[in-house]
Amino acid sequence: TMYESYSRQALPAKEYRELLGSALCVFSSNNGFIIENIISTNGSYDWYDLIDKNSGKLKKHIADTISDRTGNKEIENLFSEIVDMRNRIVHGFRITSKQGEQILATKSSKEKGNIQFEITTEYLLDFMKKNQKLSDLLHEYRGH
């Protein structure tokens, strides 16, 4: 169990917390990049309006701009998957893992069966890999 000077609460290991922070940072970057691409596709959109929206609410705007222009839903679907994963991370709860480590766990929605699972290092690395793929697709899209 880790403790830091800024918190008396038990914390996950430093590496896990670094991955967690990195995961949120790459998501935040891509969320902004999605908005930038929506606006560059259709200038009638307002950045202030889009940045205030929950990320899940951007799906329709991605559909109406990026998906419409590319003729496929690759970016739209990948972003939706990433948003769902981000939601599981952000709405997680702290547990002691089977290995005795402090980590986050989460559960799927009631509609998806209330399935509980751990936010493992692998989950966070997979999340970052998906975010890298999205970033690459957005760079490629912007270049056209």
Side-chain angles (χ1 to χ4, degrees), residues 4 6-7 12 19 22-23 25 46 53 55-56 58-59 63-64 72 79 92 94 99-100 103 106 110 117 122 137 142:
E4 297 287 352
Y6 49 77
S7 176
L19 284 175
S22 298
C25 287
D46 177 59
K53 290 187 185 312
S55 298
L58 294 172
K59 185 176 170 68
D64 293 345
N72 71 64
F79 186 67
R94 241 264 313 283
Q99 292 75 34
I103 65 166
T106 191
K110 188 177 174 184
F117 59 94
E122 292 72 32
L137 289 169
R142 189 176 64 177

PDB file of all heavy atoms in Angstrom, residues 4 6-7 12 19 22-23 25 46 53 55-56 58-59 63-64 72 79 92 94 99-100 103 106 110 117 122 137 142:
ATOM      1  N   GLU A   4       1.220   8.912   0.006  1.00  0.00           N
ATOM      2  CA  GLU A   4       1.972  10.074  -0.468  1.00  0.00           C
ATOM      3  C   GLU A   4       1.730  11.214   0.512  1.00  0.00           C
ATOM      4  O   GLU A   4       0.741  11.209   1.246  1.00  0.00           O
ATOM      5  CB  GLU A   4       1.502  10.482  -1.872  1.00  0.00           C
ATOM      6  CG  GLU A   4       1.730   9.445  -2.954  1.00  0.00           C
ATOM      7  CD  GLU A   4       3.181   9.283  -3.382  1.00  0.00           C
ATOM      8  OE1 GLU A   4       4.028  10.088  -2.949  1.00  0.00           O
ATOM      9  OE2 GLU A   4       3.458   8.351  -4.149  1.00  0.00           O
ATOM     10  N   TYR A   6       0.609  14.022  -0.014  1.00  0.00           N
ATOM     11  CA  TYR A   6      -0.619  14.779  -0.300  1.00  0.00           C
ATOM     12  C   TYR A   6      -1.898  14.014   0.014  1.00  0.00           C
ATOM     13  O   TYR A   6      -2.996  14.529  -0.182  1.00  0.00           O
ATOM     14  CB  TYR A   6      -0.634  15.273  -1.750  1.00  0.00           C
ATOM     15  CG  TYR A   6      -0.304  14.208  -2.780  1.00  0.00           C
ATOM     16  CD1 TYR A   6      -1.244  13.256  -3.161  1.00  0.00           C
ATOM     17  CD2 TYR A   6       0.949  14.160  -3.370  1.00  0.00           C
ATOM     18  CE1 TYR A   6      -0.944  12.282  -4.089  1.00  0.00           C
ATOM     19  CE2 TYR A   6       1.262  13.189  -4.304  1.00  0.00           C
ATOM     20  CZ  TYR A   6       0.309  12.253  -4.663  1.00  0.00           C
ATOM     21  OH  TYR A   6       0.616  11.299  -5.590  1.00  0.00           O
ATOM     22  N   SER A   7      -1.783  12.760   0.468  1.00  0.00           N
ATOM     23  CA  SER A   7      -2.985  12.003   0.806  1.00  0.00           C
ATOM     24  C   SER A   7      -2.664  10.968   1.875  1.00  0.00           C
ATOM     25  O   SER A   7      -1.650  10.281   1.791  1.00  0.00           O
ATOM     26  CB  SER A   7      -3.535  11.287  -0.433  1.00  0.00           C
ATOM     27  OG  SER A   7      -4.643  10.480  -0.065  1.00  0.00           O
ATOM     28  N   PRO A  12      -2.957   3.192  -5.129  1.00  0.00           N
ATOM     29  CA  PRO A  12      -2.337   2.168  -5.970  1.00  0.00           C
ATOM     30  C   PRO A  12      -0.842   2.469  -6.153  1.00  0.00           C
ATOM     31  O   PRO A  12      -0.392   3.588  -5.905  1.00  0.00           O
ATOM     32  CB  PRO A  12      -3.074   2.301  -7.299  1.00  0.00           C
ATOM     33  CG  PRO A  12      -4.381   2.938  -6.962  1.00  0.00           C
ATOM     34  CD  PRO A  12      -4.062   3.864  -5.821  1.00  0.00           C
ATOM     35  N   LEU A  19       0.037   5.196 -15.236  1.00  0.00           N
ATOM     36  CA  LEU A  19      -0.739   4.703 -16.374  1.00  0.00           C
ATOM     37  C   LEU A  19      -2.136   5.308 -16.375  1.00  0.00           C
ATOM     38  O   LEU A  19      -2.652   5.696 -17.422  1.00  0.00           O
ATOM     39  CB  LEU A  19      -0.843   3.168 -16.342  1.00  0.00           C
ATOM     40  CG  LEU A  19       0.385   2.396 -16.771  1.00  0.00           C
ATOM     41  CD1 LEU A  19       0.161   0.892 -16.559  1.00  0.00           C
ATOM     42  CD2 LEU A  19       0.737   2.677 -18.229  1.00  0.00           C
ATOM     43  N   SER A  22      -1.799   8.872 -17.486  1.00  0.00           N
ATOM     44  CA  SER A  22      -1.488   8.901 -18.922  1.00  0.00           C
ATOM     45  C   SER A  22      -2.723   8.571 -19.740  1.00  0.00           C
ATOM     46  O   SER A  22      -2.984   9.194 -20.772  1.00  0.00           O
ATOM     47  CB  SER A  22      -0.376   7.902 -19.253  1.00  0.00           C
ATOM     48  OG  SER A  22       0.810   8.256 -18.570  1.00  0.00           O
ATOM     49  N   ALA A  23      -3.498   7.584 -19.285  1.00  0.00           N
ATOM     50  CA  ALA A  23      -4.719   7.186 -19.989  1.00  0.00           C
ATOM     51  C   ALA A  23      -5.687   8.363 -20.084  1.00  0.00           C
ATOM     52  O   ALA A  23      -6.244   8.644 -21.150  1.00  0.00           O
ATOM     53  CB  ALA A  23      -5.378   5.999 -19.278  1.00  0.00           C
ATOM     54  N   CYS A  25      -4.938  11.540 -19.878  1.00  0.00           N
ATOM     55  CA  CYS A  25      -4.337  12.595 -20.711  1.00  0.00           C
ATOM     56  C   CYS A  25      -4.481  12.306 -22.202  1.00  0.00           C
ATOM     57  O   CYS A  25      -4.818  13.202 -22.970  1.00  0.00           O
ATOM     58  CB  CYS A  25      -2.866  12.791 -20.352  1.00  0.00           C
ATOM     59  SG  CYS A  25      -2.640  13.624 -18.767  1.00  0.00           S
ATOM     60  N   ASP A  46     -19.432  25.190 -33.059  1.00  0.00           N
ATOM     61  CA  ASP A  46     -18.802  26.100 -32.117  1.00  0.00           C
ATOM     62  C   ASP A  46     -17.973  25.294 -31.103  1.00  0.00           C
ATOM     63  O   ASP A  46     -18.493  24.380 -30.450  1.00  0.00           O
ATOM     64  CB  ASP A  46     -19.899  26.900 -31.390  1.00  0.00           C
ATOM     65  CG  ASP A  46     -19.336  27.824 -30.337  1.00  0.00           C
ATOM     66  OD1 ASP A  46     -18.521  28.694 -30.690  1.00  0.00           O
ATOM     67  OD2 ASP A  46     -19.709  27.673 -29.153  1.00  0.00           O
ATOM     68  N   LYS A  53     -19.884  19.484 -24.175  1.00  0.00           N
ATOM     69  CA  LYS A  53     -20.671  18.263 -24.283  1.00  0.00           C
ATOM     70  C   LYS A  53     -19.962  17.071 -23.644  1.00  0.00           C
ATOM     71  O   LYS A  53     -18.750  16.970 -23.700  1.00  0.00           O
ATOM     72  CB  LYS A  53     -20.942  17.915 -25.760  1.00  0.00           C
ATOM     73  CG  LYS A  53     -21.901  18.879 -26.434  1.00  0.00           C
ATOM     74  CD  LYS A  53     -22.276  18.397 -27.816  1.00  0.00           C
ATOM     75  CE  LYS A  53     -23.133  19.382 -28.556  1.00  0.00           C
ATOM     76  NZ  LYS A  53     -24.270  19.920 -27.816  1.00  0.00           N
ATOM     77  N   SER A  55     -18.510  13.554 -23.768  1.00  0.00           N
ATOM     78  CA  SER A  55     -17.857  12.951 -24.933  1.00  0.00           C
ATOM     79  C   SER A  55     -18.790  12.032 -25.712  1.00  0.00           C
ATOM     80  O   SER A  55     -18.767  12.022 -26.940  1.00  0.00           O
ATOM     81  CB  SER A  55     -16.613  12.187 -24.495  1.00  0.00           C
ATOM     82  OG  SER A  55     -15.698  13.081 -23.908  1.00  0.00           O
ATOM     83  N   GLY A  56     -19.618  11.269 -25.010  1.00  0.00           N
ATOM     84  CA  GLY A  56     -20.566  10.375 -25.681  1.00  0.00           C
ATOM     85  C   GLY A  56     -21.544  11.114 -26.584  1.00  0.00           C
ATOM     86  O   GLY A  56     -22.029  10.566 -27.568  1.00  0.00           O
ATOM     87  N   LEU A  58     -20.822  13.495 -28.515  1.00  0.00           N
ATOM     88  CA  LEU A  58     -20.158  13.936 -29.754  1.00  0.00           C
ATOM     89  C   LEU A  58     -20.410  12.965 -30.909  1.00  0.00           C
ATOM     90  O   LEU A  58     -20.192  13.309 -32.068  1.00  0.00           O
ATOM     91  CB  LEU A  58     -18.646  14.090 -29.533  1.00  0.00           C
ATOM     92  CG  LEU A  58     -18.220  15.202 -28.575  1.00  0.00           C
ATOM     93  CD1 LEU A  58     -16.718  15.117 -28.307  1.00  0.00           C
ATOM     94  CD2 LEU A  58     -18.593  16.575 -29.129  1.00  0.00           C
ATOM     95  N   LYS A  59     -20.888  11.760 -30.597  1.00  0.00           N
ATOM     96  CA  LYS A  59     -21.070  10.715 -31.627  1.00  0.00           C
ATOM     97  C   LYS A  59     -21.886  11.214 -32.819  1.00  0.00           C
ATOM     98  O   LYS A  59     -21.498  11.010 -33.967  1.00  0.00           O
ATOM     99  CB  LYS A  59     -21.707   9.474 -31.007  1.00  0.00           C
ATOM    100  CG  LYS A  59     -21.830   8.297 -31.967  1.00  0.00           C
ATOM    101  CD  LYS A  59     -22.373   7.068 -31.251  1.00  0.00           C
ATOM    102  CE  LYS A  59     -22.746   5.950 -32.187  1.00  0.00           C
ATOM    103  NZ  LYS A  59     -21.617   5.320 -32.863  1.00  0.00           N
ATOM    104  N   ALA A  63     -20.676  11.600 -36.646  1.00  0.00           N
ATOM    105  CA  ALA A  63     -21.431  10.957 -37.738  1.00  0.00           C
ATOM    106  C   ALA A  63     -21.763  11.956 -38.839  1.00  0.00           C
ATOM    107  O   ALA A  63     -21.607  11.655 -40.028  1.00  0.00           O
ATOM    108  CB  ALA A  63     -22.720  10.328 -37.183  1.00  0.00           C
ATOM    109  N   ASP A  64     -22.194  13.147 -38.434  1.00  0.00           N
ATOM    110  CA  ASP A  64     -22.627  14.163 -39.401  1.00  0.00           C
ATOM    111  C   ASP A  64     -21.473  14.833 -40.141  1.00  0.00           C
ATOM    112  O   ASP A  64     -21.704  15.516 -41.144  1.00  0.00           O
ATOM    113  CB  ASP A  64     -23.446  15.254 -38.696  1.00  0.00           C
ATOM    114  CG  ASP A  64     -24.780  14.735 -38.172  1.00  0.00           C
ATOM    115  OD1 ASP A  64     -25.199  13.629 -38.588  1.00  0.00           O
ATOM    116  OD2 ASP A  64     -25.385  15.421 -37.328  1.00  0.00           O
ATOM    117  N   ASN A  72     -17.177   6.159 -43.991  1.00  0.00           N
ATOM    118  CA  ASN A  72     -17.133   5.011 -43.067  1.00  0.00           C
ATOM    119  C   ASN A  72     -17.205   5.511 -41.631  1.00  0.00           C
ATOM    120  O   ASN A  72     -17.060   6.696 -41.366  1.00  0.00           O
ATOM    121  CB  ASN A  72     -15.885   4.148 -43.310  1.00  0.00           C
ATOM    122  CG  ASN A  72     -14.611   4.831 -42.862  1.00  0.00           C
ATOM    123  OD1 ASN A  72     -14.411   5.113 -41.681  1.00  0.00           O
ATOM    124  ND2 ASN A  72     -13.731   5.121 -43.810  1.00  0.00           N
ATOM    125  N   PHE A  79     -13.976   5.915 -31.461  1.00  0.00           N
ATOM    126  CA  PHE A  79     -14.154   6.920 -30.409  1.00  0.00           C
ATOM    127  C   PHE A  79     -15.219   6.466 -29.420  1.00  0.00           C
ATOM    128  O   PHE A  79     -15.036   6.589 -28.198  1.00  0.00           O
ATOM    129  CB  PHE A  79     -14.499   8.287 -31.008  1.00  0.00           C
ATOM    130  CG  PHE A  79     -14.557   9.393 -29.973  1.00  0.00           C
ATOM    131  CD1 PHE A  79     -13.411   9.802 -29.302  1.00  0.00           C
ATOM    132  CD2 PHE A  79     -15.751  10.031 -29.676  1.00  0.00           C
ATOM    133  CE1 PHE A  79     -13.459  10.820 -28.343  1.00  0.00           C
ATOM    134  CE2 PHE A  79     -15.805  11.052 -28.729  1.00  0.00           C
ATOM    135  CZ  PHE A  79     -14.652  11.444 -28.063  1.00  0.00           C
ATOM    136  N   GLY A  92     -15.064   4.134 -11.945  1.00  0.00           N
ATOM    137  CA  GLY A  92     -14.623   2.942 -11.230  1.00  0.00           C
ATOM    138  C   GLY A  92     -14.684   3.130  -9.723  1.00  0.00           C
ATOM    139  O   GLY A  92     -15.001   4.202  -9.218  1.00  0.00           O
ATOM    140  N   ARG A  94     -12.477   1.813  -6.013  1.00  0.00           N
ATOM    141  CA  ARG A  94     -11.203   1.277  -5.546  1.00  0.00           C
ATOM    142  C   ARG A  94     -11.423  -0.068  -4.858  1.00  0.00           C
ATOM    143  O   ARG A  94     -12.338  -0.219  -4.061  1.00  0.00           O
ATOM    144  CB  ARG A  94     -10.579   2.263  -4.562  1.00  0.00           C
ATOM    145  CG  ARG A  94      -9.240   2.796  -4.992  1.00  0.00           C
ATOM    146  CD  ARG A  94      -8.079   2.052  -4.398  1.00  0.00           C
ATOM    147  NE  ARG A  94      -8.212   1.838  -2.973  1.00  0.00           N
ATOM    148  CZ  ARG A  94      -8.006   2.773  -2.063  1.00  0.00           C
ATOM    149  NH1 ARG A  94      -7.628   3.982  -2.399  1.00  0.00           N
ATOM    150  NH2 ARG A  94      -8.172   2.504  -0.790  1.00  0.00           N
ATOM    151  N   GLN A  99      -4.381  -9.943  -6.094  1.00  0.00           N
ATOM    152  CA  GLN A  99      -2.950  -9.944  -5.754  1.00  0.00           C
ATOM    153  C   GLN A  99      -2.643  -9.072  -4.532  1.00  0.00           C
ATOM    154  O   GLN A  99      -1.485  -8.881  -4.181  1.00  0.00           O
ATOM    155  CB  GLN A  99      -2.119  -9.435  -6.949  1.00  0.00           C
ATOM    156  CG  GLN A  99      -2.106 -10.357  -8.164  1.00  0.00           C
ATOM    157  CD  GLN A  99      -3.405 -10.324  -8.964  1.00  0.00           C
ATOM    158  OE1 GLN A  99      -4.062  -9.291  -9.064  1.00  0.00           O
ATOM    159  NE2 GLN A  99      -3.800 -11.462  -9.511  1.00  0.00           N
ATOM    160  N   GLY A 100      -3.686  -8.490  -3.930  1.00  0.00           N
ATOM    161  CA  GLY A 100      -3.491  -7.680  -2.738  1.00  0.00           C
ATOM    162  C   GLY A 100      -3.076  -6.245  -3.026  1.00  0.00           C
ATOM    163  O   GLY A 100      -2.613  -5.539  -2.134  1.00  0.00           O
ATOM    164  N   ILE A 103      -6.216  -1.150  -6.607  1.00  0.00           N
ATOM    165  CA  ILE A 103      -6.454  -0.783  -8.006  1.00  0.00           C
ATOM    166  C   ILE A 103      -7.901  -0.325  -8.137  1.00  0.00           C
ATOM    167  O   ILE A 103      -8.640  -0.319  -7.154  1.00  0.00           O
ATOM    168  CB  ILE A 103      -6.166  -1.943  -9.010  1.00  0.00           C
ATOM    169  CG1 ILE A 103      -7.124  -3.109  -8.799  1.00  0.00           C
ATOM    170  CG2 ILE A 103      -4.725  -2.396  -8.941  1.00  0.00           C
ATOM    171  CD1 ILE A 103      -7.121  -4.110  -9.936  1.00  0.00           C
ATOM    172  N   THR A 106     -14.507  -1.788 -11.896  1.00  0.00           N
ATOM    173  CA  THR A 106     -15.659  -1.115 -12.471  1.00  0.00           C
ATOM    174  C   THR A 106     -16.713  -2.171 -12.746  1.00  0.00           C
ATOM    175  O   THR A 106     -16.523  -3.349 -12.465  1.00  0.00           O
ATOM    176  CB  THR A 106     -15.244  -0.357 -13.754  1.00  0.00           C
ATOM    177  OG1 THR A 106     -16.300   0.500 -14.163  1.00  0.00           O
ATOM    178  CG2 THR A 106     -14.870  -1.310 -14.879  1.00  0.00           C
ATOM    179  N   LYS A 110     -26.225  -1.768 -16.059  1.00  0.00           N
ATOM    180  CA  LYS A 110     -27.285  -2.727 -15.736  1.00  0.00           C
ATOM    181  C   LYS A 110     -27.740  -3.432 -17.017  1.00  0.00           C
ATOM    182  O   LYS A 110     -27.913  -4.649 -17.040  1.00  0.00           O
ATOM    183  CB  LYS A 110     -28.442  -1.976 -15.071  1.00  0.00           C
ATOM    184  CG  LYS A 110     -29.521  -2.850 -14.516  1.00  0.00           C
ATOM    185  CD  LYS A 110     -30.575  -2.014 -13.807  1.00  0.00           C
ATOM    186  CE  LYS A 110     -31.747  -2.865 -13.364  1.00  0.00           C
ATOM    187  NZ  LYS A 110     -32.803  -2.044 -12.767  1.00  0.00           N
ATOM    188  N   PHE A 117     -15.417  -5.932 -13.204  1.00  0.00           N
ATOM    189  CA  PHE A 117     -14.076  -6.349 -13.612  1.00  0.00           C
ATOM    190  C   PHE A 117     -13.057  -5.330 -13.139  1.00  0.00           C
ATOM    191  O   PHE A 117     -13.394  -4.188 -12.837  1.00  0.00           O
ATOM    192  CB  PHE A 117     -13.980  -6.567 -15.132  1.00  0.00           C
ATOM    193  CG  PHE A 117     -14.307  -5.369 -15.979  1.00  0.00           C
ATOM    194  CD1 PHE A 117     -13.311  -4.504 -16.438  1.00  0.00           C
ATOM    195  CD2 PHE A 117     -15.621  -5.082 -16.342  1.00  0.00           C
ATOM    196  CE1 PHE A 117     -13.604  -3.398 -17.235  1.00  0.00           C
ATOM    197  CE2 PHE A 117     -15.930  -3.979 -17.139  1.00  0.00           C
ATOM    198  CZ  PHE A 117     -14.918  -3.136 -17.589  1.00  0.00           C
ATOM    199  N   GLU A 122      -3.199  -4.030 -18.047  1.00  0.00           N
ATOM    200  CA  GLU A 122      -3.443  -4.418 -19.447  1.00  0.00           C
ATOM    201  C   GLU A 122      -4.605  -3.616 -20.032  1.00  0.00           C
ATOM    202  O   GLU A 122      -4.553  -3.195 -21.193  1.00  0.00           O
ATOM    203  CB  GLU A 122      -3.754  -5.924 -19.552  1.00  0.00           C
ATOM    204  CG  GLU A 122      -2.585  -6.846 -19.223  1.00  0.00           C
ATOM    205  CD  GLU A 122      -2.221  -6.893 -17.735  1.00  0.00           C
ATOM    206  OE1 GLU A 122      -3.126  -6.750 -16.879  1.00  0.00           O
ATOM    207  OE2 GLU A 122      -1.011  -7.034 -17.425  1.00  0.00           O
ATOM    208  N   LEU A 137      -5.587   7.907 -36.964  1.00  0.00           N
ATOM    209  CA  LEU A 137      -6.694   8.063 -37.919  1.00  0.00           C
ATOM    210  C   LEU A 137      -7.097   9.533 -38.062  1.00  0.00           C
ATOM    211  O   LEU A 137      -7.391   9.996 -39.166  1.00  0.00           O
ATOM    212  CB  LEU A 137      -7.912   7.236 -37.476  1.00  0.00           C
ATOM    213  CG  LEU A 137      -7.804   5.722 -37.602  1.00  0.00           C
ATOM    214  CD1 LEU A 137      -8.970   5.035 -36.882  1.00  0.00           C
ATOM    215  CD2 LEU A 137      -7.757   5.299 -39.071  1.00  0.00           C
ATOM    216  N   ARG A 142      -7.211  14.552 -41.054  1.00  0.00           N
ATOM    217  CA  ARG A 142      -6.931  15.989 -41.123  1.00  0.00           C
ATOM    218  C   ARG A 142      -6.028  16.315 -42.312  1.00  0.00           C
ATOM    219  O   ARG A 142      -6.144  17.379 -42.913  1.00  0.00           O
ATOM    220  CB  ARG A 142      -6.276  16.471 -39.830  1.00  0.00           C
ATOM    221  CG  ARG A 142      -6.166  17.997 -39.766  1.00  0.00           C
ATOM    222  CD  ARG A 142      -5.622  18.475 -38.466  1.00  0.00           C
ATOM    223  NE  ARG A 142      -4.253  18.019 -38.283  1.00  0.00           N
ATOM    224  CZ  ARG A 142      -3.508  18.360 -37.233  1.00  0.00           C
ATOM    225  NH1 ARG A 142      -4.014  19.087 -36.280  1.00  0.00           N
ATOM    226  NH2 ARG A 142      -2.270  17.925 -37.142  1.00  0.00           N
TER     227      ARG A 142
END
